[in-house]
Amino acid sequence: MFFRMNCLYLPTQQNVIFITTQRAMTDDNYGCRLIRARADGLLSGELKDSYHVHIIVRRGTMTFSDGKNVFTSQKDDLAIWQMANTIQDVACSDDFEADVLLVSPSFLQQYNPEMVWASKGYIFIRINPSFHLDDESLQLMNADFELFGRRLAQPEWRQTGDGASGMTSFKREVLGHVLQIFLYDLWTVCQHGLSQMDSNDNTARIFLRFLSLAQQHARAEREVAFYADKLCITPKYLSQISRTMTNLPASQWIQYYAAFELVSLLNDTTKTLADVADLMHFENASHFSRYVKKTLGKTPSEFRNLK
């Protein structure tokens, strides 16, 4: 979920066993990796608590469970293992092949371009961790994976014209924008399923309305009661709906939206820290500093110094 916290792809106790041998790109200094996976080796604990996993199946079949349902992915299916999902009982056919994009939570939190659609996509993928790609959707995902591959293969340093020294390629920043393109394309792919979920499921409709309200008001309002009142339901019922949809309390989602706003403001260096505190409706600098430290793991000044 994309600030200096785990945001919409949330932390979990995952039991991931993924099968792979051949890696297209292995350097994860940039927050993402691209892998060609086959059914004749194991990629062990490095996935377990470290990445959100996006799998385009090229051949064969893969089955896995989220603890409640068993899913089967086959050719031209996209499977997404969010860190909030408990993925277990993974099995692949002997002829299984797939392209796998790994994205770290910190990289995702830094470059997530939009919060409302990220929230909707999280919910859709949590319910549908594997789905088929039609021709147009497959073309979009293939293009994005290929772009990741090209940019990951680009060297960090290039020679200057006189050959005397290197120059940075801004590789991480470029990959961050590639990730943003991928996310927009992914949400486009999920859009039809999301519209059906919004119109057909009353619980989903209330929850998505809650997320929309949180996106609008999280700078100033960080209590569940405010949103429950807007939705004409009790705080207890709102938290129940949130747990039903995502296994998370409503307060956690409010915190995610508030943190997204906080990071966006802190990244805007035209605003002073006092400006940010005012915009986030903190009464004093001490309270603001404690909140930032608790939410982002850094003081406001430390966070800005990371840039």
Short mmCIF file of all heavy atoms in Angstrom, two decimals, residues 9 22-23 31 33 37 39 69 80 82 118 121 128 133 135 137 148 155 159 166-167 223 243 247 250 273 279:
data_model
loop_
_atom_site.label_atom_id
_atom_site.label_comp_id
_atom_site.label_asym_id
_atom_site.label_seq_id
_atom_site.Cartn_x
_atom_site.Cartn_y
_atom_site.Cartn_z
N TYR A 9 -0.65 -3.31 -0.82
CA TYR A 9 -0.20 -4.67 -0.75
C TYR A 9 0.36 -4.83 0.64
O TYR A 9 1.41 -4.31 0.95
CB TYR A 9 0.89 -4.94 -1.78
CG TYR A 9 0.40 -4.97 -3.20
CD1 TYR A 9 1.23 -4.57 -4.24
CD2 TYR A 9 -0.87 -5.42 -3.50
CE1 TYR A 9 0.80 -4.61 -5.56
CE2 TYR A 9 -1.30 -5.47 -4.82
CZ TYR A 9 -0.47 -5.07 -5.83
OH TYR A 9 -0.88 -5.12 -7.13
N GLN A 22 15.58 -20.19 -13.98
CA GLN A 22 16.29 -19.26 -14.85
C GLN A 22 15.84 -17.84 -14.58
O GLN A 22 14.67 -17.50 -14.71
CB GLN A 22 16.00 -19.61 -16.32
CG GLN A 22 16.76 -18.73 -17.30
CD GLN A 22 16.45 -19.11 -18.72
OE1 GLN A 22 15.82 -20.11 -18.98
NE2 GLN A 22 16.89 -18.28 -19.64
N ARG A 23 16.77 -16.96 -14.23
CA ARG A 23 16.43 -15.58 -13.92
C ARG A 23 16.83 -14.68 -15.08
O ARG A 23 17.95 -14.69 -15.52
CB ARG A 23 17.14 -15.10 -12.65
CG ARG A 23 16.78 -15.93 -11.44
CD ARG A 23 17.51 -15.41 -10.22
NE ARG A 23 17.24 -16.26 -9.08
CZ ARG A 23 17.74 -16.04 -7.88
NH1 ARG A 23 18.54 -15.02 -7.66
NH2 ARG A 23 17.44 -16.85 -6.87
N GLY A 31 14.31 -2.41 -6.54
CA GLY A 31 12.97 -2.67 -6.01
C GLY A 31 12.13 -3.61 -6.84
O GLY A 31 10.99 -3.89 -6.49
N ARG A 33 12.31 -7.15 -9.84
CA ARG A 33 13.09 -8.18 -10.51
C ARG A 33 12.17 -8.88 -11.51
O ARG A 33 10.97 -8.99 -11.31
CB ARG A 33 13.62 -9.21 -9.51
CG ARG A 33 14.53 -8.62 -8.46
CD ARG A 33 14.75 -9.56 -7.28
NE ARG A 33 15.43 -10.78 -7.69
CZ ARG A 33 15.68 -11.78 -6.85
NH1 ARG A 33 15.30 -11.70 -5.59
NH2 ARG A 33 16.32 -12.85 -7.28
N ALA A 37 10.32 -18.44 -14.91
CA ALA A 37 10.10 -19.53 -13.96
C ALA A 37 9.78 -20.83 -14.68
O ALA A 37 9.08 -20.85 -15.70
CB ALA A 37 8.96 -19.19 -13.01
N ALA A 39 9.40 -25.41 -13.82
CA ALA A 39 9.02 -26.36 -12.77
C ALA A 39 10.13 -27.33 -12.43
O ALA A 39 9.89 -28.50 -12.19
CB ALA A 39 7.77 -27.13 -13.21
N ASN A 69 -9.74 -20.78 -0.86
CA ASN A 69 -10.09 -21.33 -2.17
C ASN A 69 -8.84 -21.80 -2.89
O ASN A 69 -7.74 -21.30 -2.64
CB ASN A 69 -10.80 -20.27 -3.02
CG ASN A 69 -12.07 -19.76 -2.38
OD1 ASN A 69 -13.02 -20.51 -2.18
ND2 ASN A 69 -12.09 -18.47 -2.06
N ILE A 80 -1.61 -13.02 -9.28
CA ILE A 80 -0.95 -12.00 -8.47
C ILE A 80 -1.02 -12.41 -7.02
O ILE A 80 -2.10 -12.63 -6.47
CB ILE A 80 -1.61 -10.61 -8.66
CG1 ILE A 80 -1.53 -10.19 -10.14
CG2 ILE A 80 -0.93 -9.58 -7.77
CD1 ILE A 80 -2.18 -8.87 -10.44
N GLN A 82 -0.38 -10.95 -3.68
CA GLN A 82 -0.12 -9.80 -2.83
C GLN A 82 0.42 -10.28 -1.49
O GLN A 82 0.08 -11.35 -1.02
CB GLN A 82 -1.40 -8.99 -2.63
CG GLN A 82 -1.96 -8.44 -3.93
CD GLN A 82 -3.25 -7.68 -3.74
OE1 GLN A 82 -3.38 -6.58 -4.23
NE2 GLN A 82 -4.21 -8.26 -3.04
N ALA A 118 -5.68 2.10 -6.64
CA ALA A 118 -4.85 1.11 -5.96
C ALA A 118 -5.66 0.34 -4.94
O ALA A 118 -5.52 -0.88 -4.80
CB ALA A 118 -3.66 1.80 -5.29
N GLY A 121 -8.02 -1.97 -6.87
CA GLY A 121 -7.27 -3.09 -7.43
C GLY A 121 -6.87 -4.09 -6.38
O GLY A 121 -6.91 -5.30 -6.60
N ASN A 128 -9.77 -12.15 -6.49
CA ASN A 128 -9.47 -12.84 -7.75
C ASN A 128 -7.96 -12.86 -7.99
O ASN A 128 -7.45 -12.15 -8.86
CB ASN A 128 -10.15 -12.13 -8.91
CG ASN A 128 -11.64 -11.98 -8.73
OD1 ASN A 128 -12.41 -12.88 -9.00
ND2 ASN A 128 -12.06 -10.81 -8.25
N LEU A 133 -6.37 -13.36 -19.16
CA LEU A 133 -6.13 -12.15 -19.92
C LEU A 133 -6.64 -12.33 -21.35
O LEU A 133 -6.21 -13.26 -22.05
CB LEU A 133 -4.64 -11.81 -19.95
CG LEU A 133 -3.97 -11.55 -18.60
CD1 LEU A 133 -2.46 -11.46 -18.77
CD2 LEU A 133 -4.50 -10.28 -17.96
N ASP A 135 -7.00 -10.98 -25.33
CA ASP A 135 -5.90 -10.62 -26.23
C ASP A 135 -5.38 -9.21 -25.96
O ASP A 135 -4.16 -8.98 -25.91
CB ASP A 135 -6.36 -10.72 -27.68
CG ASP A 135 -6.58 -12.17 -28.12
OD1 ASP A 135 -6.09 -13.07 -27.40
OD2 ASP A 135 -7.24 -12.39 -29.15
N SER A 137 -5.67 -7.39 -23.17
CA SER A 137 -5.06 -7.31 -21.84
C SER A 137 -3.69 -7.99 -21.83
O SER A 137 -2.74 -7.49 -21.21
CB SER A 137 -5.97 -7.96 -20.79
OG SER A 137 -7.21 -7.28 -20.72
N PHE A 148 9.96 -3.59 -18.53
CA PHE A 148 10.73 -3.85 -17.32
C PHE A 148 12.04 -4.55 -17.67
O PHE A 148 13.11 -4.20 -17.16
CB PHE A 148 9.94 -4.73 -16.34
CG PHE A 148 9.11 -3.98 -15.36
CD1 PHE A 148 7.72 -4.04 -15.40
CD2 PHE A 148 9.71 -3.22 -14.36
CE1 PHE A 148 6.95 -3.34 -14.48
CE2 PHE A 148 8.95 -2.52 -13.43
CZ PHE A 148 7.56 -2.59 -13.49
N PRO A 155 22.52 -0.61 -18.05
CA PRO A 155 23.55 -0.43 -17.01
C PRO A 155 23.27 0.81 -16.18
O PRO A 155 22.67 1.78 -16.65
CB PRO A 155 24.84 -0.30 -17.81
CG PRO A 155 24.42 0.17 -19.16
CD PRO A 155 23.07 -0.46 -19.41
N GLN A 159 29.24 5.61 -20.15
CA GLN A 159 30.42 6.43 -20.40
C GLN A 159 30.02 7.79 -20.97
O GLN A 159 29.08 7.90 -21.76
CB GLN A 159 31.34 5.73 -21.39
CG GLN A 159 32.03 4.49 -20.83
CD GLN A 159 32.92 4.83 -19.66
OE1 GLN A 159 32.63 4.44 -18.54
NE2 GLN A 159 33.99 5.58 -19.92
N GLY A 166 31.86 8.05 -15.79
CA GLY A 166 30.51 7.54 -15.99
C GLY A 166 29.45 8.59 -15.70
O GLY A 166 29.72 9.61 -15.07
N MET A 167 28.27 8.35 -16.17
CA MET A 167 27.14 9.22 -15.87
C MET A 167 25.97 8.36 -15.45
O MET A 167 25.75 7.27 -15.99
CB MET A 167 26.77 10.10 -17.08
CG MET A 167 26.45 9.33 -18.35
SD MET A 167 26.14 10.39 -19.77
CE MET A 167 24.59 11.15 -19.30
N GLU A 223 -10.43 9.10 12.28
CA GLU A 223 -11.22 8.28 13.19
C GLU A 223 -12.30 7.53 12.42
O GLU A 223 -12.96 8.10 11.54
CB GLU A 223 -11.85 9.13 14.29
CG GLU A 223 -10.84 9.85 15.19
CD GLU A 223 -9.99 8.88 15.99
OE1 GLU A 223 -10.48 7.78 16.31
OE2 GLU A 223 -8.83 9.23 16.29
N ARG A 243 -13.14 -5.84 7.61
CA ARG A 243 -12.50 -7.14 7.89
C ARG A 243 -13.02 -8.22 6.96
O ARG A 243 -12.27 -9.10 6.53
CB ARG A 243 -12.70 -7.53 9.35
CG ARG A 243 -11.88 -6.69 10.32
CD ARG A 243 -11.98 -7.23 11.74
NE ARG A 243 -11.21 -6.43 12.67
CZ ARG A 243 -9.91 -6.55 12.86
NH1 ARG A 243 -9.22 -7.45 12.17
NH2 ARG A 243 -9.27 -5.79 13.74
N ASN A 247 -9.70 -8.43 5.64
CA ASN A 247 -9.05 -8.93 6.86
C ASN A 247 -8.31 -7.83 7.62
O ASN A 247 -7.43 -8.12 8.44
CB ASN A 247 -8.07 -10.08 6.56
CG ASN A 247 -8.78 -11.38 6.27
OD1 ASN A 247 -9.95 -11.56 6.63
ND2 ASN A 247 -8.10 -12.29 5.59
N ALA A 250 -11.04 -1.05 9.63
CA ALA A 250 -11.22 0.21 8.92
C ALA A 250 -10.15 1.22 9.31
O ALA A 250 -9.70 2.02 8.46
CB ALA A 250 -12.62 0.76 9.18
N LEU A 273 8.06 21.95 6.61
CA LEU A 273 7.49 20.94 7.51
C LEU A 273 6.32 21.52 8.30
O LEU A 273 5.35 20.81 8.59
CB LEU A 273 8.56 20.40 8.45
CG LEU A 273 9.69 19.62 7.77
CD1 LEU A 273 10.69 19.13 8.81
CD2 LEU A 273 9.15 18.45 6.95
N LEU A 279 -1.36 21.29 6.93
CA LEU A 279 -2.21 20.65 5.94
C LEU A 279 -2.75 19.30 6.42
O LEU A 279 -3.82 18.86 5.99
CB LEU A 279 -1.44 20.48 4.63
CG LEU A 279 -1.16 21.76 3.85
CD1 LEU A 279 -0.13 21.52 2.76
CD2 LEU A 279 -2.45 22.30 3.24
#
